[in-house]
Amino acid sequence: MKLPIFIADAFTATAFRGNPAAVCLVENTLDEDSHQHIAREMNLSETAFIRKLQPTDNFTQSSRFGLRWFTPESEFPLCGHATLASAAVLFHKMKNTNNTLTFVTMSGELKARRAEDGIVLDFPLYPTSPQDFHEVEGLIKAAIGDTLVQDIRYSPDTKNLMVRLSDSYNRSFLETLKVNTEPLPRIEQTGKVKGLILTLKGEPGGRTPQYDFYSRYFAPWVGVAEDPVTGSTHTILGPYWSEELGKKEMRAFQCSRRGGELDIALRPDDRVDLKGGAAIVLEGTLTV
């Protein structure tokens, strides 16, 4: 079987920045094991599989598709950057004629719509609850040592632990912070935590453009030491920082080596719009 495959850099307008995702277009049924084999072969943080929901559907005119995401290790329930990459492939390479696409996923229906300067993802919001420091002290100290922590939250829906660093730090501190991810899966084996978010309040001025908050994301539990730009974590960061800053619209930067930016708008229906750009850097055919 031959599958069309693309690699798109998401949450950036520039190639080789943002977060790369592989996108496979599945015309017919793909056996279950092949999804994981392909994701492992691609060896990116996520590989997305877009499938037709009806035999009469096609990638140019249909507006609803199935979508699944796989890391090199396992299927993942929600992935923002690979959804953005999937929409970019359909809009820009398959010349899909619709302004809005609906993806049927493990996390419900997700929408992606065209915007003048990117693609807007319609995602659910996930609340967090305060987390007792002593319960996760070993995990945090193994990851970031004696770095000062201002707040800790937990998202039961996504199994992410969010650690806000002290406001005394700046962006360059977060960018250069050495995070030790190797021991984390051994320290946390209960299944409660599947990802670690580090976040920091934006600086009031100086840098242009100005960002409301910064973050980095680590998921060694699913084979991703550090993810370059993570749309799904902003379903947690968005509502948290909205409450902290008293804002419904924010601009965020993920401080990985590649870096990427997102525009975030909280909606009254408990959902969030995440806007970003995408650059398609590779297209080809995969033989399975």
Side-chain angles (χ1 to χ4, degrees):
M1 182 189 298
K2 294 187 181 298
L3 295 175
I5 190 165
F6 304 82
I7 293 178
D9 294 336
F11 295 115
T12 178
T14 308
F16 314 126
R17 292 184 62 79
N19 199 351
V23 178
C24 288
L25 301 180
V26 182
E27 288 275 0
N28 303 300
T29 304
L30 183 65
D31 70 80
E32 198 61 26
D33 289 346
S34 293
H35 293 83
Q36 193 62 69
H37 291 322
I38 292 169
R40 197 167 290 130
E41 185 78 7
M42 293 301 99
N43 200 31
L44 296 171
S45 63
E46 300 283 349
T47 296
F49 296 87
I50 308 173
R51 69 183 186 282
K52 298 189 295 184
L53 296 176
Q54 305 293 335
T56 54
D57 287 350
N58 67 74
F59 293 117
T60 301
Q61 294 172 314
S62 301
S63 62
R64 286 173 59 85
F65 301 94
L67 182 62
R68 297 172 72 181
W69 311 278
F70 287 77
T71 76
E73 297 297 327
S74 61
E75 186 167 11
F76 212 63
L78 181 67
C79 180
H81 84 277
T83 304
L84 183 63
S86 298
V89 166
L90 291 172
F91 283 142
H92 304 317
K93 288 299 180 180
M94 305 311 293
K95 306 299 181 186
N96 192 283
T97 56
N98 296 282
N99 284 324
T100 300
L101 301 172
T102 300
F103 295 113
V104 180
T105 79
M106 287 175 67
S107 295
E109 290 192 354
L110 308 175
K111 295 184 185 298
R113 68 178 187 269
R114 299 177 191 267
E116 280 187 17
D117 52 350
I119 294 170
V120 178
L121 303 179
D122 169 2
F123 269 36
L125 281 177
Y126 292 116
T128 57
S129 54
Q131 171 69 49
D132 183 85
F133 175 72
H134 297 293
E135 289 184 19
V136 291
E137 182 176 7
L139 179 69
I140 292 173
K141 289 212 175 282
I144 59 174
D146 293 326
T147 301
L148 298 176
V149 171
Q150 186 150 331
D151 197 5
I152 306 172
R153 298 292 183 99
Y154 177 69
S155 164
D157 298 290
T158 65
K159 293 183 166 52
N160 279 311
L161 185 69
M162 190 202 82
V163 177
R164 175 182 174 181
L165 304 186
S166 168
D167 289 350
S168 62
Y169 297 125
N170 60 17
R171 171 178 166 173
S172 62
F173 177 86
L174 179 59
E175 286 177 331
T176 57
L177 179 63
K178 297 285 190 290
V179 180
N180 184 13
T181 61
E182 190 272 331
L184 302 189
R186 293 196 305 274
I187 295 170
E188 165 50 54
Q189 299 183 13
T190 66
K192 177 183 175 180
V193 177
K194 293 291 187 183
L196 173 66
I197 305 167
L198 301 182
T199 189
L200 181 66
K201 185 178 178 180
E203 295 155 281
R207 281 186 181 259
T208 303
Q210 185 177 336
Y211 297 100
D212 292 289
F213 64 88
Y214 306 112
S215 67
R216 290 175 68 185
Y217 183 60
F218 309 87
W221 294 270
V222 294
V224 180
E226 179 169 7
D227 198 35
V229 196
T230 318
S232 61
T233 59
H234 289 78
T235 63
I236 301 162
L237 290 163
Y240 174 81
W241 283 110
S242 174
E243 188 173 329
E244 291 292 307
L245 301 174
K247 302 175 75 169
K248 294 293 185 185
E249 296 186 2
M250 294 163 287
R251 191 162 174 79
F253 188 82
Q254 192 155 330
C255 296
S256 65
R257 181 178 294 178
R258 293 173 65 101
E261 54 190 25
L262 307 87
D263 290 311
I264 301 162
L266 271 68
R267 299 180 359 192
D269 57 354
D270 288 331
R271 295 184 71 82
V272 63
D273 284 341
L274 304 174
K275 185 175 75 173
I280 297 170
V281 296
L282 182 148
E283 57 182 301
T285 304
L286 187 69
T287 303
V288 181

